[in-house]
Amino acid sequence: MNEGRIPRSATVIDRIDESPTVFTLRLRLEEDPDTPFVFRPGQFNMVGVFGVGEVPLSIVSDPLDIDFFDHTVRIVGRVTTAMARVRPGERLGIRGPFGSGWPVEQAVGRDIVLVSGGLGCAPLVSVVNYISRRRDQFGQMTLLHGVKSPEEMIYRERFKELSRQDRTRILLTSDRAGDGWEGSVGPVTALLDDLRFNPDTTSAKLCGPEPMMVAAVKKLITGGMAEEEIFVSLERSMQCAEGLCGHCMLVGHFICRDGPVFRYRDIRPLLEHKGL
Amino acid sequence: MDTDDLTGFLPRSSFKDLFTLLLREGFRIVGPREEDGTIVFKPVTSISDLPVGVRDDQSPGRYRISHQPTVRNFSWANGPQALKPLLFPPVETLWESRQDPDGRLSFLNAPDLSLPTAVIGLRSCDLVALDLQDRHFLNGPFPDRGYRSRREKLLLIGVHCSHPAATCFCASTGDGPGIRSGFDLVLGETDEGFVVSAGSEKGRNLRDQLPLRPALAKEIQIVREEIEAAARIQTRALPPGNLRDRLFLRLEAPHWDTVAQRCLSCGNCTMVCPTCFCSRNLEETDLPGNTSKTLRQWDSCFTSEHSYIHPAPVRGTTTFRYRQWLTHKLGSWHDQYGRSGCVGCGRCLTWCPTGIDMTQDLPHLFSWEPPGE
């Protein structure tokens, strides 16, 4: 138990630049290469740069790919700036996986609506990948994904590929239009106005800024979706990931431990107040 | 007071024998000392290190020591800290990272430097706060390694509180002034010596080695009456009952802003609170750059960094931060640990530079009626 709490060394085996400020790192644990890295979609790792510090990062790869795992990172602060300089062959420290993850089993056989905003899509990308790889287990998948400007739209090729899959709709939107932008213009919540779904067979998973999620959930519920079929992934500062450091508290919840994925019904009143 | 157990009396002239015994048993002794104009818990080696006749005059934003013509060692209420820094140090190393010349990383747990430690002079509020810290650091899915090791080596010697400060309100939270549980030995101080009871197997072993005589009914009576008086003279109180729902119904009460106008967001209350547990992780790299330590340092929900996620803190105003602290302490603590996080020690009042007093602010908050559904 104790030893599990210190980081393990992982080698960067690949790196993809997704945009000028976003990159994906593919990692493999060094010691015990035979022990698979077991996780659920929506779980996260604390990823550390030697001498700099750690940040919580959602795991975006698929649990079936047992000999590596991927993190998509946006350069926003000290640690992610240092992480952006890491090249294949170099090492990072890994603690994890942590958190609850998405209840993907619960959604088997159902239609799924996914709503995401900004790079908040990282936790949802794991679900998109999970479903597309097990396409026959799930019904219709609709991804509504919004960004502030077209430059922030990453995974474009991947989304194009996915939208050619059976029973899959990918609707992309940007708050502002730009060169060559082919998607919608406006907030992601506006895409929900025209969305048709069968309330009896549909579950929703959301990730992104809390006001966006609150607004989107209202529209889903207006459309007839049951509140208990709606799940959200929340974001807070996390330093220990073990429910000890207190940074991620949302009233009685430690987001790192009790979340980051919650059933919307369980946290709804908490999202209605600013500054909790 | 727990008197099911055999209760003995240790004459003041034999008090030093308790220290000799603890040292012989291999304990480092930590106890109260008069230092920096207050009572601090630090290593002590003999009874001459203990305060004598010290009183602490406390009020919101104020702490002053005075000296009284008495032989008593425990005629004070509390200082800014007691047990918390011993178990949850203000700074500690969690692990060390090493980078080999070929880039390989290795990680080592920080060495366990904990020593068997006997702490003497603990108050009931301190012992209840310890129980709350245990629930946080030990009872979750990730028990804290360093805390557990220090906790297992701890011997707890409480002293019933007979001289509460004006800021104390433990009687209203049910956490004092008499000690009821969580101790190995408990002392009730009289002018002539100490009524001694044991509360654990470790405590009984020690008690049996002390030069005790049976305590007289009169001596037990003095201790009991002083505890009762210590409860009676407390003028501050928390409103009774579970305050969780009353607080969370009033998240938008205007009084949060009123308090925030006086709050400096300095975090003193969280530093002296015996149950606050927030921490941040820091990196400390050596000069050649081959090793780096990950340190854990006390943190406070009153800083803007505490809730920072790109691009802004969740709790960007003092109103939000004070509300977070109080609603957590008195409210969501019930969800997390099954009771309030406040033990009534009054430290947050005393050490607040502007004297913010939750016992005064709660009635204002509760007088506001939330708009109906």
Side-chain angles (χ1 to χ4, degrees):
Chain A
M1 171 170 29
N2 302 343
E3 282 59 41
R5 299 181 48 189
I6 60 174
R8 293 182 280 175
S9 178
T11 309
V12 177
I13 54 175
D14 198 8
R15 178 204 156 98
I16 302 157
D17 284 309
E18 310 280 4
S19 85
T21 56
V22 179
F23 55 97
T24 297
L25 296 178
R26 176 156 293 181
L27 295 151
R28 179 179 293 146
L29 288 173
E30 278 188 279
E31 91 277 20
D32 261 348
D34 299 331
T35 311
F37 184 74
V38 179
F39 65 94
R40 301 159 52 84
Q43 284 195 299
F44 67 95
N45 282 324
M46 294 301 297
V47 184
V49 181
F50 173 77
V52 181
E54 296 181 312
V55 283
L57 294 174
S58 190
I59 307 166
V60 295
S61 51
D62 195 282
L64 286 179
D65 296 322
I66 53 173
D67 50 352
F68 66 84
F69 53 92
D70 294 348
H71 289 294
T72 295
V73 192
R74 181 169 163 205
I75 302 171
V76 291
R78 201 172 49 84
V79 177
T80 49
T81 300
M83 207 172 280
R85 293 195 286 263
V86 173
R87 296 289 171 247
E90 296 185 50
R91 273 88 165 181
L92 294 171
I94 298 290
R95 290 191 297 127
F98 294 110
S100 52
W102 297 101
V104 278
E105 308 80 26
Q106 174 270 351
V108 166
R110 297 180 66 82
D111 296 336
I112 318 272
V113 173
L114 305 167
V115 185
S116 82
L119 198 78
C121 75
L124 269 184
V125 166
S126 64
V127 181
V128 173
N129 290 337
Y130 188 91
I131 292 172
S132 75
R133 200 149 157 179
R134 298 159 184 81
R135 205 62 203 82
D136 52 336
Q137 293 181 26
F138 299 90
Q140 174 86 27
M141 171 167 78
T142 309
L143 169 66
L144 313 176
H145 177 47
V147 289
K148 284 203 185 100
S149 60
E151 309 86 71
E152 290 186 6
M153 184 59 72
I154 60 167
Y155 300 133
R156 284 194 202 199
E157 287 310 307
R158 176 90 183 112
F159 287 145
K160 257 185 203 151
E161 223 175 275
L162 280 171
S163 60
R164 286 193 286 270
Q165 270 195 342
D166 191 25
R167 290 169 294 136
T168 304
R169 270 187 300 175
I170 310 268
L171 304 176
L172 305 178
T173 185
S174 170
D175 290 350
R176 293 188 292 276
D179 288 347
W181 177 246
E182 293 166 359
S184 310
V185 175
V188 68
T189 46
L191 297 178
L192 283 161
D193 294 334
D194 303 321
L195 185 74
R196 298 282 168 270
F197 58 85
N198 180 348
D200 298 331
T201 58
T202 309
S203 300
K205 301 184 196 305
L206 299 90
C207 188
E210 285 169 28
M212 179 281 278
M213 293 198 286
V214 170
V217 166
K218 276 198 184 121
K219 293 193 176 187
L220 290 168
I221 290 174
T222 306
M225 192 173 289
E227 205 179 29
E228 61 264 28
E229 292 296 337
I230 303 173
F231 296 86
V232 298
S233 181
L234 299 182
E235 190 190 359
R236 284 289 186 279
S237 170
M238 292 177 194
Q239 303 205 357
C240 73
E242 299 177 335
L244 295 176
C245 80
H247 287 86
C248 68
M249 269 193 282
L250 174 61
V251 186
H253 301 290
F254 292 96
I255 303 255
C256 69
R257 192 182 82 189
D258 310 332
V261 175
F262 291 90
R263 201 182 278 269
Y264 184 73
R265 192 184 52 194
D266 297 340
I267 50 144
R268 170 177 27 91
L270 312 181
L271 298 183
E272 286 168 358
H273 295 277
K274 200 169 176 285
L276 285 181
Chain B
M1 188 172 66
D2 180 3
T3 48
D4 310 340
D5 220 322
L6 276 177
T7 299
F9 192 84
L10 185 67
R12 195 165 285 280
S13 57
S14 303
F15 190 31
K16 61 180 187 316
D17 295 346
L18 173 61
F19 280 64
T20 311
L21 173 62
L22 292 170
L23 294 171
R24 201 173 65 219
E25 294 283 321
F27 287 104
R28 168 180 78 128
I29 309 174
V30 169
R33 305 178 76 126
E34 182 192 343
E35 219 172 278
D36 299 332
T38 179
I39 298 286
V40 296
F41 276 77
K42 283 201 167 169
V44 290
T45 50
S46 80
I47 55 169
S48 62
D49 291 332
L50 299 178
V52 179
V54 168
R55 295 294 308 270
D56 48 344
D57 175 23
Q58 300 191 43
S59 57
R62 186 172 191 277
Y63 188 107
R64 294 289 184 278
I65 287 285
S66 66
H67 296 88
Q68 306 292 325
T70 153
V71 294
R72 296 225 185 167
N73 297 117
F74 303 97
S75 53
W76 41 270
N78 58 29
Q81 305 287 350
L83 269 176
K84 185 168 92 168
L86 297 175
L87 287 153
F88 171 36
V91 185
E92 80 178 293
T93 303
L94 294 179
W95 65 80
E96 190 176 290
S97 318
R98 289 192 190 145
Q99 188 170 43
D100 294 344
D102 67 355
R104 217 169 269 277
L105 294 180
S106 53
F107 301 91
L108 286 171
N109 263 317
D112 181 359
L113 304 173
S114 60
L115 298 168
T117 301
V119 189
I120 187 166
L122 296 166
R123 301 311 194 185
S124 187
C125 53
D126 299 324
L127 292 168
V128 179
L130 172 68
D131 176 52
L132 281 176
Q133 292 258 302
D134 284 353
R135 294 183 205 189
H136 176 70
F137 284 104
L138 299 180
N139 294 0
F142 299 98
D144 189 69
R145 178 175 161 271
Y147 185 98
R148 181 172 51 200
S149 176
R150 293 183 284 269
R151 180 71 176 91
E152 283 166 354
K153 297 187 180 74
L154 203 59
L155 183 90
L156 300 163
I157 305 177
V159 181
H160 293 299
C161 187
S162 50
H163 294 72
T167 43
C168 292
F169 53 96
C170 64
S172 72
T173 64
D175 299 317
I179 295 171
R180 287 186 288 266
S181 62
F183 57 89
D184 294 298
L185 284 176
V186 65
L187 313 179
E189 186 177 28
T190 71
D191 289 348
E192 289 74 34
F194 301 90
V195 174
V196 181
S197 303
S200 71
E201 201 49 48
K202 273 193 291 185
R204 276 185 281 278
N205 284 338
L206 289 168
R207 180 199 58 193
D208 294 346
Q209 298 177 64
L210 286 170
L212 300 180
R213 61 163 172 78
L216 305 175
K218 188 183 70 182
E219 288 158 348
I220 294 172
Q221 184 64 18
I222 289 172
V223 171
R224 185 170 292 148
E225 280 173 5
E226 288 196 3
I227 292 170
E228 284 164 10
R232 216 166 37 237
I233 62 173
Q234 292 184 16
T235 54
R236 286 186 161 77
L238 282 191
N242 181 339
L243 305 179
R244 184 194 187 285
D245 294 346
R246 295 174 75 185
L247 282 166
F248 281 105
L249 276 173
R250 291 171 175 81
L251 289 173
E252 308 302 338
H255 193 71
W256 297 113
D257 285 323
T258 311
V259 185
Q261 281 166 16
R262 284 182 291 143
C263 175
L264 306 178
S265 213
C266 70
N268 263 19
C269 50
T270 57
M271 297 293 105
V272 296
C273 177
T275 68
C276 271
F277 53 68
C278 282
S279 64
R280 76 184 93 174
N281 285 4
L282 304 168
E283 286 295 310
E284 189 180 270
T285 311
D286 69 350
L287 279 177
N290 306 322
T291 66
S292 182
K293 285 177 179 169
T294 300
L295 309 177
R296 176 166 77 182
Q297 183 182 48
W298 284 2
D299 201 357
S300 171
C301 56
F302 281 92
T303 69
S304 61
E305 293 84 3
H306 186 277
S307 65
Y308 182 85
I309 43 170
H310 178 79
V314 174
R315 295 184 280 274
T317 65
T318 302
T319 302
F320 288 155
R321 290 178 216 145
Y322 183 80
R323 187 182 72 176
Q324 163 65 17
W325 180 68
L326 198 70
T327 55
H328 180 226
K329 189 67 56 189
L330 302 178
S332 36
W333 218 287
H334 286 274
D335 303 332
Q336 294 171 334
Y337 304 108
R339 61 153 285 170
S340 152
C342 177
V343 297
C345 72
R347 288 184 174 97
C348 57
L349 285 60
T350 298
W351 299 97
C352 174
T354 65
I356 293 172
D357 175 353
M358 66 155 90
T359 66
Q360 301 296 307
D361 286 306
L362 283 165
H364 286 291
L365 278 168
F366 290 158
S367 69
W368 183 77
E369 285 308 319
E373 289 291 305

